[in-house]
Amino acid sequence: MKKINTLILAFVALLATNLIANDGTSPLTANFIMGNPEVQSMNAISFGPEGILFVGDSKSAMVTAIDTKDKVAAEAPKEIKMAKVDEQIAALLGTTAAEITIQDMAVNPISKMIYFAVHHSNGTPVLLKTDGETIQHVPLTEVSHSKMEINNPIDAEKKDRRGNSMRVSAISDLNYFEGKVMVSGLSNEEFASTFRSIPFPFKSEQMQASLEIYHAAHGKYETHAPIKAFLPVNIAGKANLVAAYTCTPLVVFPMESLRPGEHTTGQTVAELGNWNVPLDIIQMEKEGKSYLLMANSSRAVMKISVDQVANFHDSLTEKVAERSGTAGVDFINLPFVNVQQLDKLSDSHFIMLQRRSNGDLDLYTQNNRWL
Amino acid sequence: MLSSFSRLILFIFLSKSNLYAQTLSIVTEEDHEHKGCVQLENLPTDSFQKEGLQVFLFPQNPDNPVPPIVGKSTIENNSLYFCPLIPFSKNLTYQARFPNVPYFTFKPVPKKDYTLTTLRELYPTIEELPENLLKMYLHFSAPMSDGNGYQYLHLENEKGEKITAPFLELTPLLWNEDRTRLTLWFDPGRVKRELLRNQKLGAPLEEGKSYTLHISKNWKDANGYSLANDFTKKISVVKADRIAPNPNNWQVEPPKANTKDAVIIHFGESLDHALAANSLVLYNKKGKKVAGNSQLQNDDKTWIFTPLNNWQSKPYRIQIDSKLEDLAGNNLNRLFDTNLEKQTTPKRDLPYYYLDFRVE
């Protein structure tokens, strides 16, 4: 009986979805509600399909999907050059550049609008966007949205005397890939990797999987560490996860090997050098060749050939002769240092938020002649 | 901060024939729904109500004018309010503009009798720390600013020289929810053996040497005020800890039956403060959680549990979460970095470990 009920429910749900879809509403946003999603922090933002923006909110341990309605297709501007973006944002918020931090930047692949997640020093999160000319506030007081709680890895909830949670999983990166929102998080207590894959549209909490992934260093030590930045990448026709760890190995995992509750060891394909925290990874293509571009806290933007990653079959099993203080697959340093944010603007252009040598934080485009 | 705005009042007479007295001010009443907002009182006509109140940073550079500040305008009870998205800053001057009304310039006044925030405690509290120390916790008395805190702390060796990049500078910083506790990581790429950073730069701390961690009072709290004092922490570095914590080696001091005496567990070493405070749960023979209070003492080497009700003359069990770590990030299941060539103990994957004792 239960089975029959389930079937009927599933049929009704399918029918409802189709009806809504026929009504002009996308099935992706069918379960969205209007209102204020009460986002408390914006640590990572990324676009999915149809102008849906995913916001990783560490403070409330949520991923929020926002229908930006920003889905009129547009060509990317040929060139963007915006000087002192932090000062422009600060003026718009009535404060100084020292009081704000740009947490993340994401390009809407449809409209090519560039979105910024910004925090004021008092913790207030603000969403802004720019077309490369002017910066606008994106209010979230009345938006169509859907929320998903990120399960706490340890159930014992610890609160301080003000009733605030002490344990936080700080979201380090977030990406949408083939119907799933993937989220990497850093615990502020145990030294652990939390990597979640949450089916979208959000359904039930049970669907999300917390994955334990390790990496091997020179075949001698196996360690785990939190992932700082990651990107789903197709390598030789198969979906892979390229992850940059906080201790800087670049590790590749076949997506199909990532299963909840299983110990998965990825292939370390490179180590990325000293004094560095990986910040952003994007994928660009040129003349049928695919490249990864990676922004770093203390090193230049790196270019890595996806073909080389695909052909790198030996995990770093031996100490590799020093190559610019790094090891593994080759990568080329592009002449862009102190790039804080990086995203793909179009097939031929990428956009960077860079702290220039004169101290200014500028937003500007580069084209694929660097690839 | 906002409660101390001086109530600035400006009376404007629109014309001789129109004697509406309009008042522009900042709402300072603590319980006011629009506290911290600019208020324009006595709106005279409907046409006025359609106009917006705009607030700008002041002074403006005429060659490079900036847009109005983001905020929300609302009309209630004949008043027009403008509430900025970000509270007005005590260090800046602003100008409110309304059509046909002279500009109104104001500067929020810093709060009087403000209690400065302090760094209350830094864990581990012990001075002798292992070479492969992984984490520290900084506990502040009030919420801190959300921004780059790393610039306010540095590590010096015995000669007073700064150690280059000992910490992993993560964005966002690893704060708790209200930013009163910061988790600070020594760079794991330098602590882990065989990684390039470890080979090239060595571990941030070296055995046998002493260091001082300095935390500057220039670090701002969430209200934009500096800390009350600078803070220093002495570190004497001892041998690296490459042994996972093992509950079988812990010493239990069982209490007496029919008393509310504490049960005391001696770990034999300092454990991670945040995890140790939360990883141990006490159960009775029936598997029911025993009500009581626990605390860490003796530099997080000792766990003390005091029950609400008397102990019974029965067995008890302490459940220990396997995620519990020592100061070097070794947990109950695995070491921080496992040497696969010399691995002597099998890697375990248990969620919990148990420690049994009997009350007599």
Side-chain angles (χ1 to χ4, degrees):
Chain A
M1 188 65 188
K2 200 176 173 185
K3 245 183 190 173
I4 294 168
N5 280 343
T6 313
L7 278 174
I8 291 169
L9 274 176
F11 180 70
V12 170
L14 190 70
L15 199 68
T17 308
N18 281 335
L19 284 176
I20 291 161
N22 291 338
D23 204 26
T25 310
S26 161
L28 289 181
T29 54
N31 66 353
F32 278 36
I33 52 163
M34 281 301 287
N36 188 336
E38 306 287 352
V39 172
Q40 291 184 42
S41 65
M42 293 185 195
N43 307 104
I45 55 172
S46 187
F47 274 92
E50 300 176 16
I52 296 167
L53 181 71
F54 295 100
V55 178
D57 177 357
S58 303
K59 197 169 170 183
S60 60
M62 289 273 181
V63 174
T64 302
I66 295 165
D67 184 1
T68 61
K69 314 275 187 200
D70 178 11
K71 46 190 165 190
V72 177
E75 290 285 317
K78 282 209 173 92
E79 189 180 35
I80 290 174
K81 263 188 182 174
M82 287 179 82
K84 300 181 184 179
V85 170
D86 52 347
E87 290 183 19
Q88 291 191 42
I89 291 172
L92 195 61
L93 301 178
T95 186
T96 56
E99 299 297 315
I100 59 156
T101 43
I102 298 173
Q103 302 275 323
D104 204 1
M105 177 181 88
V107 174
N108 181 338
I110 301 171
S111 69
K112 311 298 183 197
M113 290 290 273
I114 302 153
Y115 283 67
F116 295 110
V118 172
H119 279 189
H120 180 251
S121 60
N122 75 355
T124 307
V126 185
L127 186 65
L128 301 151
K129 67 178 178 184
T130 182
D131 54 3
E133 299 280 335
T134 53
I135 300 172
Q136 285 176 281
H137 175 229
V138 183
L140 298 179
T141 41
E142 188 69 8
V143 288
S144 172
H145 69 275
S146 168
K147 290 167 79 161
M148 182 72 190
E149 196 175 347
I150 299 170
N151 284 338
N152 204 321
I154 293 183
D155 53 5
E157 185 63 25
K158 188 166 61 170
K159 305 226 171 178
D160 68 2
R161 56 202 156 86
R162 293 182 187 81
N164 289 303
S165 177
M166 296 295 272
R167 180 187 294 280
V168 169
S169 177
I171 292 167
S172 60
D173 205 357
L174 174 149
N175 283 290
Y176 176 86
F177 183 71
E178 293 181 354
K180 292 187 178 74
V181 184
M182 298 182 167
V183 186
S184 59
L186 285 73
S187 165
N188 67 343
E189 295 195 348
E190 71 272 16
F191 188 75
S193 181
T194 55
F195 186 85
R196 290 183 177 77
S197 176
I198 308 167
F200 179 79
F202 299 140
K203 289 181 192 102
S204 67
E205 294 190 24
Q206 292 80 7
M207 294 292 281
Q208 61 174 296
S210 176
L211 311 167
E212 262 203 287
I213 48 188
Y214 291 68
H215 67 85
H218 309 297
K220 188 172 176 188
Y221 291 94
E222 183 182 72
T223 81
H224 72 162
I227 288 169
K228 184 65 185 78
F230 70 91
L231 188 74
V233 175
N234 276 314
I235 299 175
K238 286 201 163 179
N240 280 265
L241 188 77
V242 174
Y245 279 68
T246 48
C247 46
T248 75
L250 188 72
V251 181
V252 176
F253 299 88
M255 210 71 93
E256 62 188 18
S257 77
L258 297 173
R259 290 193 195 92
E262 280 186 26
H263 175 110
T264 312
T265 303
Q267 183 192 23
T268 300
V269 295
E271 275 193 67
L272 304 168
N274 306 323
W275 299 323
N276 189 28
V277 180
L279 300 175
D280 262 334
I281 313 176
I282 62 165
Q283 188 176 15
M284 296 288 295
E285 267 155 39
K286 188 185 180 184
E287 293 160 5
K289 297 276 182 196
S290 188
Y291 300 92
L292 302 177
L293 296 185
M294 190 158 78
N296 300 285
S297 66
S298 304
R299 296 182 76 93
V301 170
M302 294 168 179
K303 182 181 91 170
I304 303 161
S305 152
V306 172
D307 281 352
Q308 279 207 23
V309 173
N311 295 327
F312 189 85
H313 295 302
D314 305 317
S315 206
L316 298 178
T317 49
E318 290 171 26
K319 288 179 192 174
V320 180
E322 206 169 282
R323 240 179 279 157
S324 315
T326 57
V329 296
D330 275 331
F331 52 78
I332 293 158
N333 286 325
L334 300 183
F336 313 121
V337 290
N338 295 321
V339 171
Q340 300 187 352
Q341 302 291 341
L342 173 70
D343 206 358
K344 181 178 176 174
L345 184 64
S346 66
D347 288 342
S348 58
H349 284 73
F350 53 97
I351 186 140
M352 296 187 291
L353 190 65
Q354 184 185 28
R355 180 73 66 191
R356 306 274 200 167
S357 51
N358 64 1
D360 289 354
L361 189 67
D362 296 349
L363 182 74
Y364 68 102
T365 43
Q366 284 294 344
N367 65 30
N368 61 5
R369 77 184 173 91
W370 294 103
L371 299 182
Chain B
M1 179 165 60
L2 293 171
S3 63
S4 59
F5 278 124
S6 59
R7 184 92 180 178
L8 297 170
I9 296 172
L10 186 66
F11 291 97
I12 304 146
F13 294 94
L14 295 172
S15 70
K16 283 180 186 172
S17 61
N18 184 351
L19 288 180
Y20 283 111
Q22 286 194 277
T23 310
L24 259 171
S25 62
I26 293 176
V27 181
T28 57
E29 287 85 354
E30 280 295 331
D31 54 351
H32 198 293
E33 187 191 350
H34 297 293
K35 181 175 169 275
C37 303
V38 177
Q39 182 184 16
L40 179 68
E41 288 180 274
N42 300 327
L43 285 174
T45 65
D46 286 349
S47 64
F48 261 62
Q49 294 183 22
K50 286 172 190 163
E51 303 284 350
L53 178 59
Q54 291 188 324
V55 180
F56 296 82
L57 275 172
F58 182 83
Q60 287 254 346
N61 177 354
D63 298 332
N64 187 20
V66 293
I69 291 167
V70 173
K72 195 180 169 194
S73 286
T74 47
I75 295 168
E76 271 176 40
N77 303 328
N78 250 20
S79 280
L80 176 61
Y81 294 97
F82 173 83
C83 300
L85 187 64
I86 301 296
F88 295 123
S89 166
K90 67 182 190 308
N91 303 317
L92 299 171
T93 305
Y94 299 88
Q95 191 169 64
R97 300 178 192 171
F98 195 77
N100 303 320
V101 171
Y103 295 166
F104 164 66
T105 305
F106 60 95
K107 186 177 167 69
V109 178
K111 202 169 186 170
K112 283 180 191 166
D113 307 323
Y114 185 77
T115 306
L116 295 176
T117 303
T118 55
L119 200 164
R120 280 195 293 118
E121 193 61 89
L122 191 151
Y123 295 93
T125 47
I126 194 168
E127 188 175 319
E128 287 196 346
L129 294 165
E131 188 179 58
N132 55 349
L133 173 69
L134 183 62
K135 276 175 279 175
M136 289 188 164
Y137 296 100
L138 283 59
H139 288 244
F140 295 91
S141 62
M144 293 294 286
S145 62
D146 189 352
N148 178 13
Y150 297 110
Q151 59 185 303
Y152 302 108
L153 45 94
H154 71 272
L155 188 70
E156 281 179 8
N157 64 16
E158 289 145 320
K159 296 176 195 161
E161 296 161 337
K162 273 190 187 181
I163 305 296
T164 308
F167 305 112
L168 189 70
E169 300 195 358
L170 285 167
T171 310
L173 276 75
L174 290 175
W175 287 108
N176 65 335
E177 194 178 297
D178 68 348
R179 295 193 308 282
T180 54
R181 188 190 77 183
L182 177 71
T183 308
L184 185 63
W185 283 357
F186 281 88
D187 180 350
R190 292 182 64 178
V191 177
K192 284 183 181 177
R193 291 168 293 175
E194 296 284 323
L195 286 183
L196 267 172
R197 277 204 277 200
N198 173 273
Q199 289 173 341
K200 209 169 158 63
L201 302 171
L205 302 173
E206 286 180 55
E207 185 183 345
K209 295 189 176 170
S210 296
Y211 301 83
T212 307
L213 174 65
H214 293 265
I215 293 148
S216 165
K217 66 178 180 185
N218 293 332
W219 203 341
K220 302 273 196 304
D221 68 12
N223 290 324
Y225 291 84
S226 297
L227 295 177
N229 318 98
D230 290 326
F231 188 97
T232 55
K233 156 86 179 170
K234 292 263 180 217
I235 299 172
S236 301
V237 183
V238 295
K239 197 170 176 238
D241 181 355
R242 305 208 188 276
I243 300 166
N246 184 350
N248 292 332
N249 298 334
W250 296 354
Q251 304 287 321
V252 184
E253 278 184 45
K256 293 247 181 320
N258 305 315
T259 71
K260 290 192 181 92
D261 292 349
V263 57
I264 301 170
I265 312 287
H266 299 282
F267 301 134
E269 61 177 334
S270 295
L271 294 180
D272 181 277
H273 178 74
L275 291 166
N278 212 33
S279 297
L280 278 67
V281 184
L282 186 66
Y283 290 95
N284 65 18
K285 199 189 168 191
K286 291 175 184 163
K288 201 175 160 207
K289 209 166 150 179
V290 179
N293 295 307
S294 65
Q295 54 175 310
L296 294 167
Q297 282 190 3
N298 189 18
D299 294 317
D300 302 329
K301 290 175 187 166
T302 307
W303 185 78
I304 295 174
F305 181 91
T306 312
L308 283 182
N309 304 312
N310 281 353
W311 296 103
Q312 294 180 309
S313 182
K314 283 184 175 159
Y316 287 86
R317 164 167 276 200
I318 297 168
Q319 174 187 281
I320 307 138
D321 196 303
S322 61
K323 290 187 172 71
L324 175 59
E325 292 176 7
D326 61 21
L327 300 182
N330 303 309
N331 76 19
L332 269 50
N333 277 339
R334 49 118 194 107
L335 293 172
F336 177 65
D337 52 357
T338 306
N339 186 333
L340 298 173
E341 291 171 357
K342 295 179 187 166
Q343 196 171 339
T344 48
T345 49
K347 205 157 35 194
R348 291 159 293 185
D349 197 18
L350 302 171
Y352 299 107
Y353 288 70
Y354 300 96
L355 193 58
D356 295 329
F357 66 94
R358 196 178 165 87
V359 173
E360 305 284 357

